[in-house]
Every structure is written in C-alpha cells, then in structure tokens.
Amino acid sequence: MKKIYKQLFIICFAFATVTSCEFGDTNVDPAVPTDVAMSALLPSGEAAVSWAIGGEMVRISGLLTQQFEGINAQQLDNYKYLIRDADMDGVWQRMYHNSLNTINVIIKKSQEQNAPHYEGVAKVLMAAGIGTFTDAFGDIPYTSAFGGDEGNFTPTYDTQEQLYTTIIPGLLDDAIAKLSAAESAGGSPGSDDQIFGGDLDLWIAAAHSLKMRYTFQMAKRDAGAYDDALAMLPDVISSNSEDFEMYFGSGANETNPQYQFSQSRAGNIKMGEYFINAFSDDDTREALFINDIFELGEGANGYYTVSAAPVVLMSYVEVKFIEGESHLMKAAPDEAAAKAALDEAVNASFNKITGSGTPVAYQADLDARWTVAADKLEVLIDEKYIATYSQSIVVWNDYRRTGYPALEFVAGGTNAFNTNGEIPRRLPYPQEERLLNLSNLPIKTPNLQTPVWWDE
C-alpha cells in the first residue's frame, strides 16, 4: 500500500486528493482544474467501488466455491487454492487507491461544505468496500488508511473485531443520520448518483441492510446476532427494485467488470461443474447463469456478464435469506418463518433474473426437500448458493460460516500457503504490504487456513 499512496500523493495531478502544486503562477495550466466537485467524484467513486467488488472479489469467491473453474494462468492457480501475495497487489490497489480513496475525499469535502447527504452516501459506499475487504482479509487498514497526503505511507491495521463491532456500524449509523438530515446546504446527490439517482430513502435502506448483513455475520461469535439481525427487518431493502447495485453500460469504457475480464482474459475461466449441477430441470434461471460469456463468448446472455450487467452490492434476495437463516438458527427457532422467508428469497431471485416467479414444479420440489431434510440449513444455503451467484463474496462467507454447500476440496489444493488442501478461510495480504509495511502486517507469512475473526 505504501507504493500506492506514494504514487497517489507525491505525483501531483488534477484530482481532489491534491488540490494544488507549488509550481508558481507561470506553471499553472488553466485547462487543468485544481479541485473537483463532489458531483463529479461521486459517479467515479461508485463505479470504482462496484468494479472492485464485482470484478476480482466476485471472481475469487466464485473460484473458491466452485461456481467458476479456473482453467489457465492465475485463475487456475486460485481455483486450486494457490493464491500468492503478489496476486493481491492489484486487488488492494483497485479497492484502496482507485475506490475508497475517492470515497474518503467525498467524505472530507462534504464535511467541509456542509453537505450531509453526500457524506451519508459516501459512508454507505465506504462501509460496503471496507466490509467486503475485511471479510476477505481479516484485519485491514481503515483508521489510518487515507493519510498519504500527510506523509503516512505505512498505515496501521484495524482488527476485524473493531471493524465489525465499532467502525462499520458507526459508519452506517452516521450515514443514516446524515441521509436523514432535513437540509444539505452544500448540495445533495441527484443525477450524478449512478446507483439510486439521488433517492435518499433507498440509500437509507441500503445502509440498514448492510448493517443487518454485518450483524448477522457475527453469529459464530455471538448467537444473539440472529435476533439482532431480525430486529432490523423493518428498515431494510424490501423489494428487488430497491437493490443496492450499479448498472454498467455498453460503451467501450463503460462495461461490467466480468464482461471486460471475459474479453481480456478469454480462456482463463469457465463455469464450475458443481454450480452447473446445482440447477434442476425446473430452474429457469439456469440459461441466464450457465450460458455464460466466459465459455460462449460474444453474444452469450449471462445475466451478470453481459456488458451492461449490474454489480450487486446488497440485494433483497440476500436480505430474505438472512431472515430465513436467522429464524432457523436463533435461540428459539421458527421453522415456519424460516421457510416463508426462504420461499420469498427464491421467488425474488427468479423474478430478478427471469422476470417471472418461482416455477410451480420448482416450488413443489423445494417444499419436498425442506420437509425431509435432516438439516434444513443445508437446503437454505444450497438455494442461496444459486440465488446469490455473483453477488459480492456472499457465497464464500456462507461456506465459511455454515460449511454449506457441501463442496469437495479441489484436487491439488495443497501448497505452502494452504497446507491442508482445504478451501481457504482468508486471502493473503499483498506482496507490496509485506515489502513496504511489514511492521504493521498482522500475518507476516501467508496462511490461507487462518480464519478471520468472525470465523474463529
């Protein structure tokens, strides 16, 4: 990260992180702005965060949970659990340098300009990015992550416990308060907001939904997390139309990250056999998930891989699955409520992907499987495995939290970083952090089987 921040803050360029350079009046280029408005920063920040989550993070999660199969180069290595620290350099650059740094600038500018609505939006995006990253890496920089302009190129790491119990809920609570402000004198997002078009109520619902996710995710640490998550239901995303997602475009520089990967890295990845076999004959989503551009090339109609496809940051489908699992696993289980939430989650997935509800035959089969299941959690997670395909790293989180779906380990998965050959529990820290910020690195020798805090 040190190298990243040096590049960002020592090199003077026309962006909001550096507003002026001491070249003297004779060297000022009037064509280059010395400041960038929040309305210009927001769309680039939204796109960058969505790209970082919907590109590599989705791909890594899919490889580890066999929704994808790597067949060449780094993707083959990652599929076989060989994930090197150098593989993560670009991942961190895209999340911190390209994405969260811009979001942090918006937060600072909104505070300076008395624009609480912009601040609220930015803090929701910050929580989404930081939350995804801590789920993957464990302890990560946040508190001192954005100090490069003050000469701090060796940020310290916040523990995942701090992030989960204090920092992320604090960001989201403050975001909700700011978004609820009656006035925002310094301006409010409008057409510059590429996600919700300036609809603050939808941003508030997204914030509550993320808070629900990260509360629920602590269930291995705190059994009360299930009831705590259920208490948040009145304020969360309540339909597919409220999904927290970013749609991309069809222009050369506007396309979805998975589409771009399929064009620039053709032949490196295909759909996983376990994922393909998870679909029943009655599942009308199959063609839109399996007929995918990674294998079929241009013209394929994969829902999440066409050029203008969305990147989902949080969805109604995920909310309903959280509700279902929480009812099933809480101290006083309610199987009827769990099944009702599961049915709605599945129906919402079919509606989102195909435009029609759950097929009658599919629902009948689901009912039968639920009735006879020795462990109803397995039925629920197996359904979620399909329904949350390409939605952040939800499936990998589920596997680590529940042990479902019942995946077999990939052959050849034993290596120096993954000595037991099992599905990794975390990602390694980047090589650049090991070389340039070693004193602050929480794990100095990569071990992919060291669980993150909530997974212990």
Side-chain angles (χ1 to χ4, degrees):
M1 188 181 293
K2 181 176 179 181
K3 181 178 178 182
I4 293 172
Y5 284 133
K6 280 184 175 178
Q7 291 173 338
L8 182 60
F9 291 110
I10 293 178
I11 298 173
C12 184
F13 62 102
F15 195 59
T17 52
V18 179
T19 58
S20 64
C21 295
E22 298 299 327
F23 294 139
D25 292 343
T26 57
N27 286 326
V28 173
D29 184 350
V32 177
T34 57
D35 192 19
V36 181
M38 289 182 290
S39 60
L41 291 172
L42 180 59
S44 64
E46 289 175 329
V49 170
S50 300
W51 180 277
I53 293 174
E56 286 148 318
M57 300 309 293
V58 162
R59 197 158 55 250
I60 290 169
S61 174
L63 287 166
L64 295 180
T65 58
Q66 299 171 35
Q67 291 179 320
F68 300 135
E69 180 181 343
I71 54 178
N72 189 40
Q74 180 182 322
Q75 313 309 315
L76 174 58
D77 287 345
N78 291 172
Y79 176 68
K80 292 188 173 184
Y81 314 150
L82 178 56
I83 307 175
R84 302 173 181 86
D85 54 4
D87 295 343
M88 298 295 104
D89 285 341
V91 176
W92 273 50
Q93 177 171 345
R94 277 176 277 282
M95 181 61 82
Y96 278 106
H97 179 145
N98 297 4
S99 306
L100 298 185
N101 184 67
T102 302
I103 301 305
N104 189 62
V105 171
I106 297 172
I107 291 172
K108 293 189 341 186
K109 290 174 76 70
S110 65
Q111 292 168 344
E112 293 166 357
Q113 298 176 23
N114 188 22
H117 293 166
Y118 271 104
E119 182 179 353
V121 166
K123 286 186 172 178
V124 176
L125 291 165
M126 180 68 77
I130 290 296
T132 302
F133 243 42
T134 186
D135 281 345
F137 293 95
D139 302 351
I140 58 170
Y142 171 71
T143 304
S144 63
F146 309 106
D149 55 346
E150 299 170 355
N152 178 15
F153 303 125
T154 55
T156 56
Y157 282 60
D158 297 284
T159 68
Q160 186 174 78
E161 182 176 8
Q162 292 172 320
L163 288 158
Y164 255 77
T165 61
T166 304
I167 293 171
I168 293 174
L171 277 168
L172 293 169
D173 284 342
D174 197 47
I176 292 164
K178 295 298 191 296
L179 290 163
S180 302
E183 296 182 1
S184 187
S188 299
S191 59
D192 53 318
D193 173 10
Q194 302 299 297
I195 294 177
F196 289 130
D199 189 325
L200 301 183
D201 289 337
L202 294 182
W203 279 105
I204 291 171
H208 281 292
S209 301
L210 288 175
K211 192 174 178 183
M212 182 191 199
R213 173 199 280 172
Y214 294 115
T215 298
F216 161 82
Q217 190 77 342
M218 290 189 287
K220 288 178 75 169
R221 280 280 185 175
D222 175 13
Y226 295 122
D227 285 303
D228 293 341
L230 289 171
M232 300 177 185
L233 277 171
D235 300 311
V236 298
I237 294 169
S238 60
S239 69
N240 287 339
S241 64
E242 297 180 0
D243 281 356
F244 182 24
E245 61 188 3
M246 169 103 186
Y247 275 86
F248 284 76
S250 55
N253 297 315
E254 301 173 350
T255 53
N256 171 283
Q258 290 202 67
Y259 175 86
Q260 288 205 20
F261 180 84
S262 75
Q263 303 303 294
S264 63
R265 299 287 190 274
N268 282 4
I269 200 170
K270 67 177 184 177
M271 303 309 296
E273 284 299 317
Y274 187 94
F275 187 54
I276 292 171
N277 292 333
F279 291 88
S280 71
D281 292 341
D282 301 314
D283 195 334
T284 52
R285 297 168 298 182
E286 180 177 10
L288 291 165
F289 282 164
I290 301 303
N291 291 348
D292 202 276
I293 197 166
F294 296 126
E295 295 185 71
L296 301 181
E298 194 70 36
N301 62 340
Y303 183 87
Y304 287 114
T305 53
V306 294
S307 62
V311 165
V312 179
L313 305 177
M314 183 78 200
S315 68
Y316 177 60
V317 169
E318 183 183 350
V319 163
K320 298 308 289 186
F321 274 111
I322 290 173
E323 180 185 351
E325 184 176 340
S326 296
H327 277 303
L328 191 63
M329 302 301 291
K330 65 184 181 178
D334 186 339
E335 288 190 3
K339 179 57 160 57
L342 169 60
D343 288 345
E344 176 56 20
V346 172
N347 188 63
S349 174
F350 274 99
N351 269 308
K352 182 177 181 68
I353 304 304
T354 72
S356 300
T358 308
V360 173
Y362 191 97
Q363 184 64 57
D365 178 68
L366 174 56
D367 293 343
R369 286 185 286 122
W370 179 267
T371 299
V372 302
D375 186 353
K376 289 178 168 48
L377 179 62
E378 182 173 12
V379 176
L380 188 147
I381 297 298
D382 283 350
E383 290 296 326
K384 191 177 179 184
Y385 176 73
I386 296 173
T388 57
Y389 161 66
S390 281
Q391 295 191 18
S392 187
I393 61 172
V394 170
V395 171
W396 184 33
N397 287 345
D398 288 341
Y399 177 81
R400 289 181 288 168
R401 192 185 64 259
T402 70
Y404 296 126
L407 301 166
E408 293 185 3
F409 307 137
V410 172
T414 300
N415 57 69
F417 305 134
N418 197 61
T419 56
N420 66 3
E422 297 181 3
I423 294 172
R425 314 300 291 190
R426 65 157 67 236
L427 297 181
Y429 291 113
Q431 182 180 60
E432 287 193 349
E433 281 292 277
R434 180 171 57 80
L435 295 176
L436 302 172
N437 194 19
L438 182 63
S439 63
N440 288 318
L441 205 62
I443 298 176
K444 294 176 172 53
T445 301
N447 181 351
L448 304 187
Q449 289 301 320
T450 301
V452 299
W453 172 79
W454 61 252
D455 186 32
E456 291 177 350

